[in-house]
Structures are given as structure tokens and as C-alpha cells.
Amino acid sequence: MDKKSPIKITLTERDESVTITQWVYQTLRSAVMYGEILPGRVLTIRELAGILDVSPMPVREALRQLAAENALEIQGNRRVMVPKMTAMKFNELCEARIAIESHAAARALPYIDNDRLEQLRSLDSMIDQAQEEENLDQISILNQNFHRALYTANPHQVTLPLIESLWLQLGPFMRMATSELEEHYLVDRHNEAMSAIERKDAYALQMAIAADIREGIAFAGTPEMLHTFIENSGH
Amino acid sequence: MDKKSPIKITLTERDESVTITQWVYQTLRSAVMYGEILPGRVLTIRELAGILDVSPMPVREALRQLAAENALEIQGNRRVMVPKMTAMKFNELCEARIAIESHAAARALPYIDNDRLEQLRSLDSMIDQAQEEENLDQISILNQNFHRALYTANPHQVTLPLIESLWLQLGPFMRMATSELEEHYLVDRHNEAMSAIERKDAYALQMAIAADIREGIAFAGTPEMLHTFIENSGH
DNA sequence: CTTTATTGTTTGTGATCACAAAAGCGTGAT
DNA sequence: ATCACGCTTTTGTGATCACAAACAATAAAG
């Protein structure tokens, strides 16, 4: 019997064309991203291997990869855990997102063609729809897709892996906060971003992206709420 | 007999307190960073295990970690190689460095105390000395240490892993270019940075960092030279 | 001479095992 | 109660093996 809280991981069917390591990686990545594993929780290779019903080997490789992406943390004792959060670190992650993503957006702008514009418009309207339905999970996923679609317009783009690393680190806490929020209040900044893109106005786009990120944080909860989750995540 | 060019990797004595995987990781990381492995070169687990005289297992883990840090690239065929470079990608990496590092510098500035200032001054003077001796390797290492010491003044810093990833991706090409340069012409921007730090002038510091990075690139070679190396790295 | 089939080899993936270090745990002393 | 010590169990690390997919090279056919 585990003394620690039992881990409940959402399992998906494994595609035969994908290696076991890749499947384990994606599964654990989602689990971390969606806060299914509490920060501070110690992960052992054998335990995860048992839960996922695979041998320890693919788990080892997936854990090392996630640690390299800063999604997990390897302590001096060689134990792996989901990193704990502090209010200051949370703030640093948000500011880093703004700095890097507004840069990536500006660098992508000149490459946005009609196809890409159409794709962004489509995502934008899907987000509007998800907001009416108040489907928080869907909003979160579509929002990521929107940002990704924007940045990857730049064919020589090199920052997306770095951005995804930041998303991974923020993920658990965004989720923990939003899941407790009944009333949420969200101004859609994507419309502003779309307008800036159509006008090819790099500065306005950067402002819209920055505002979107900031309000995504505010959407996640007030600083006090966040503080509560962060403090409680330790024990 | 290998059909591909033989790999010559600088080996260091392995500290007993360090795991084999960590030692392999650091060894391969240095080899990539210093351009000892040519971009495009396919790396196999067993070959590296033979060169480093370890079993394939630690090599597997080190390769996966380096790939997660974008130092290596895993192709669809599951083969691992040092990523090839293009002029556009090189430019994107430089611009990403400027955006992220100037951000990190500004965020670190309020935390710089006397001890840190002294450390930075010491590194600054060591760089001056290395420049007089025209010791390119030493300059490069000290320059990295200077940047690291600056950014890590912020105790809640989260961007250093991202910055190091960019350094790793640029490393081979900086090296390849500098090694061919006889005449080099370098204005020391660290003095400007030091001055900005002492005045607690965030904007000036960002400008100095940006200039330092840009001139580090220029120092690496003219765009034409770089182009030569990039094109030749394919075959 | 070029192209396609086929065979032999190399390589990554994944499973299993051995071992030393770390963690947990009960016992006893202060 | 609290801490220290010795014992048992758990855990990460690393080595070795089996296997299927990818690759390379040769042979056959156009």
C-alpha cells in the first residue's frame, strides 16, 4: 500500500506505430501538464511502470526526457518529482513567457500567409465558441493551439521548444487554480491579435500577446488564490 | 573501418562521485559545444559506447537528454545527429539569445549585491586578460561564465536552461568560424555592462548585453564566412 | 548500365538481471 | 518523547540479451 497519494493518470490507447517510450512520454507529459500528479510527489520508475503496465526501461527514458525539459526535477538523491512552485518563480515564468512569446510572435508575423491566417481565424472562432460553452479544458487546449499556430508560421522558428517548456512548468498550477474557479471573467485578446496580424502591426501584436498571457494568468486566479495553491502543493 | 569520419572526442577523467550517465552527458555535451562532432554526422549508441569505453546504456540516456535540450536531433528513422544549420536558423538563434538574455539580465539586476558585483568584476578583468593573450577558448568560456553569473543573480531565475539550450545550438558554429579567424576585432562590451549594473540602469544593461551578443556573432565571422561553414557542414 | 529483389548486417528498442546506494523502520538508549 | 543505530526493503544505475526494423551490399533482371 502506498503511503503517498495514489497517482491517477489518464491513459490513452497506444498507437502501434509509436514506440513505448514515446507513448509513456506523452502520457506522463499530459499528466504533469494537467496537474494529475501533485507537485512534490516523488515518482519512482517501478511504480510508474506498474501503473502504465510497461517495463521500467521506457519509463526511465521518458522521465529523463521530461526532466531535461524542466517538467520534472531530479534531486540530488536521484529521485524524480514534479517541481514545487513559489509565487516568485511563478511570476518569473509568466514574465519569461511574455518576453519570449511576444518575440516569437513578432518574428512570425512576416511569414503569415493566407492559409495561416485562415487557420488562425478558425482557431479564434473555436475559442469564442468554447468560451460560450464555458468549456475550460477546451479553451486551454485551443488557446495553446492558437499560440503554436502563430509562432510556427516562421519556418526558421527556434523558440517553440523553449516556450513549450515554460507551458509545461506553468501547466499544473494554471490547472489547479482554474479548476476551482466558478466565476471567471475573460476578455478575448485573440481578436486584438487577429486585428494586429491583419494590419501587419508587430508592436500591436506583441501587446496583444502580452495581454493575452497576463489575462490568462488572471483568469487562472487572483494572486491570493494562486498563493493558496502554491503553498498547499508542498504537503 | 568507419565510412564516416572518425569521431575524436576530448575525454576527461571521470570523477567517482558522478554517475557514468552524467559523465557521458557532459563529455558529449562538450563535444557538441566545441564542434568536435560535425553537424550532420550520424551518431550510433554502440559506436559512442565503444569510444567512451562504457556500456550502451549510459549513452542512450545521455543522447536522449541532449536531444531534449535541442543539442542533438532525433530523425524519423530514430537516428541521432548533430543538427545542421542554415543561415536563417542561425539568425533566429541569435535574435532569440538577444531577446531572452536581455530579459534575464534586466530581471537579475535588482538582485545584484556586492558579492555578485565583485564576482562579475573579477570575470570582467579575466576576460580582458584573456583578450590580451588572444586565448580564444578561454575568452569563450569566461564570456559564458560572465553571462551565467549575471543571470543567476536572480534567485528565482527560470530562463537559464533555455539560454543554455541556445548556446548549445550555436556552439558548434561559433567555434567553427572562430577557429579559422586570424584577425579578430573585439570591442569589450562587458565594461559597458558593468557600468550599467553599477548605475542600476536596466535599459543600458539590456543594450550592452544585446551589443555583446551581436558582436560575439560578428566576432565569430562575417556573414559570408559563416555561410561557408554552414553550407559545408552538410557534407 | 540502371533498376529491382534479396540477403546479411547494423542499429534502436525494450526486457531482465545484478548491485550499491538510499530510504524506511523498528529497537533501544538518553 | 527524541535521537541514534542496525536491519530490511526499495530504488536508481548499469550491463546484457533478444528481437524487429532500418540499412548496406550483392545479385538478378530489364
Side-chain angles (χ1 to χ4, degrees):
Chain A
M1 201 42 78
D2 297 329
K3 275 146 296 218
K4 286 288 185 177
S5 57
I7 300 177
K8 198 86 192 82
I9 294 178
T10 303
L11 299 177
T12 65
E13 197 62 30
R14 185 169 83 81
D15 185 347
E16 288 299 326
S17 67
V18 170
T19 64
I20 296 180
T21 300
Q22 288 171 333
W23 176 78
V24 171
Y25 167 77
Q26 287 161 0
T27 302
L28 291 181
R29 189 190 145 99
S30 298
V32 171
M33 186 71 137
Y34 296 148
E36 295 182 346
I37 307 174
L38 292 179
R41 177 67 156 84
V42 172
L43 301 178
T44 66
I45 294 173
R46 288 175 175 85
E47 181 188 13
L48 291 174
I51 293 173
L52 301 178
D53 193 31
V54 296
S55 89
M57 185 66 57
V59 177
R60 267 170 77 167
E61 305 227 324
L63 287 182
R64 188 166 290 273
Q65 187 169 345
L66 287 165
E69 294 171 357
N70 305 300
L72 297 176
E73 180 183 322
I74 303 181
Q75 306 175 84
N77 12 345
R78 296 171 183 174
R79 304 200 87 157
V80 175
M81 65 175 222
V82 181
K84 293 183 183 179
M85 185 57 72
T86 65
M88 292 298 286
K89 192 175 159 194
F90 189 87
N91 192 39
E92 286 292 328
L93 286 166
C94 294
E95 294 299 323
R97 271 198 68 188
I98 292 170
I100 301 178
E101 293 192 39
S102 64
H103 170 80
R107 286 249 133 200
L109 187 54
Y111 295 98
I112 293 177
D113 55 18
N114 284 337
D115 284 354
R116 183 72 58 161
L117 195 61
E118 202 50 50
Q119 184 189 358
L120 289 170
R121 269 198 264 263
S122 169
L123 284 166
D124 186 28
S125 65
M126 287 170 76
I127 290 173
D128 289 340
Q129 187 178 343
Q131 280 197 24
E132 288 183 13
E133 298 169 2
E134 297 195 356
N135 189 339
L136 297 185
D137 296 353
Q138 193 66 10
I139 291 176
S140 182
I141 292 171
L142 288 172
N143 185 44
Q144 279 189 24
N145 288 346
F146 182 87
H147 284 253
R148 225 189 312 260
L150 173 55
Y151 309 144
T152 56
N154 180 352
H156 312 103
Q157 196 271 337
V158 296
T159 52
L160 190 63
L162 314 183
I163 292 169
E164 300 250 12
S165 169
L166 296 177
W167 290 354
L168 256 176
Q169 293 177 70
L170 282 168
F173 301 92
M174 300 287 289
R175 184 69 166 215
M176 288 169 71
T178 55
S179 65
E180 296 276 331
L181 255 186
E182 288 300 324
E183 300 287 331
H184 59 279
Y185 179 62
L186 181 57
V187 181
D188 190 350
R189 295 286 181 174
H190 294 136
N191 296 329
E192 291 181 23
M194 290 304 300
S195 162
I197 291 169
E198 288 164 9
R199 300 195 321 268
K200 295 286 180 191
D201 184 341
Y203 183 74
L205 176 58
Q206 288 189 324
M207 292 299 105
I209 293 294
D212 180 54
I213 293 172
R214 281 191 212 282
E215 295 187 5
I217 309 305
F219 166 64
T222 62
E224 295 77 30
M225 282 192 64
L226 201 62
H227 189 66
T228 307
F229 288 107
I230 290 169
E231 293 305 305
N232 290 350
S233 72
H235 35 257
Chain B
M1 201 37 80
D2 297 329
K3 275 149 298 226
K4 285 286 183 177
S5 57
I7 300 177
K8 198 87 190 80
I9 294 178
T10 303
L11 300 177
T12 65
E13 196 62 30
R14 185 168 82 82
D15 184 348
E16 288 300 326
S17 67
V18 168
T19 63
I20 297 179
T21 300
Q22 287 171 333
W23 176 78
V24 171
Y25 166 77
Q26 287 161 1
T27 303
L28 291 181
R29 189 190 144 99
S30 299
V32 171
M33 185 71 135
Y34 296 147
E36 294 183 347
I37 307 176
L38 292 179
R41 177 68 156 83
V42 172
L43 301 177
T44 66
I45 295 173
R46 287 173 173 86
E47 180 187 14
L48 290 174
I51 294 173
L52 302 178
D53 193 32
V54 296
S55 88
M57 185 66 56
V59 177
R60 267 169 77 167
E61 305 227 325
L63 287 182
R64 188 167 292 273
Q65 186 170 345
L66 286 165
E69 294 170 357
N70 305 301
L72 298 176
E73 179 183 325
I74 303 181
Q75 307 176 87
N77 10 348
R78 297 172 182 176
R79 304 200 89 155
V80 175
M81 65 174 223
V82 182
K84 293 183 183 177
M85 185 58 71
T86 66
M88 292 298 286
K89 193 176 159 194
F90 189 88
N91 192 38
E92 286 291 329
L93 286 167
C94 294
E95 293 300 323
R97 271 198 69 186
I98 292 170
I100 300 178
E101 293 192 39
S102 65
H103 170 80
R107 286 249 132 201
L109 187 54
Y111 295 98
I112 294 177
D113 55 18
N114 284 337
D115 284 354
R116 182 74 57 164
L117 195 60
E118 202 50 48
Q119 184 188 355
L120 288 170
R121 268 198 266 261
S122 169
L123 284 165
D124 185 28
S125 66
M126 287 169 76
I127 290 173
D128 288 341
Q129 185 179 344
Q131 280 196 25
E132 287 183 14
E133 299 169 1
E134 297 195 356
N135 187 340
L136 297 184
D137 297 353
Q138 193 68 7
I139 292 176
S140 182
I141 291 172
L142 289 172
N143 185 43
Q144 279 188 25
N145 289 345
F146 182 88
H147 284 254
R148 226 189 310 260
L150 174 55
Y151 309 145
T152 55
N154 179 353
H156 312 102
Q157 198 269 337
V158 297
T159 51
L160 189 63
L162 313 184
I163 292 169
E164 300 251 12
S165 169
L166 296 177
W167 289 355
L168 257 175
Q169 292 177 70
L170 282 169
F173 300 93
M174 299 286 290
R175 184 71 167 212
M176 287 169 71
T178 55
S179 65
E180 297 276 331
L181 256 186
E182 288 300 326
E183 300 287 329
H184 59 280
Y185 180 61
L186 181 58
V187 181
D188 190 351
R189 294 288 183 174
H190 295 136
N191 296 329
E192 293 182 21
M194 291 303 302
S195 163
I197 291 169
E198 288 164 9
R199 303 194 318 268
K200 294 288 181 191
D201 184 341
Y203 182 74
L205 176 57
Q206 289 190 323
M207 289 302 104
I209 293 295
D212 180 53
I213 293 172
R214 281 191 212 283
E215 294 187 6
I217 309 306
F219 166 64
T222 62
E224 295 75 32
M225 281 192 64
L226 202 61
H227 189 67
T228 307
F229 287 107
I230 289 170
E231 293 305 305
N232 290 350
S233 72
H235 37 258

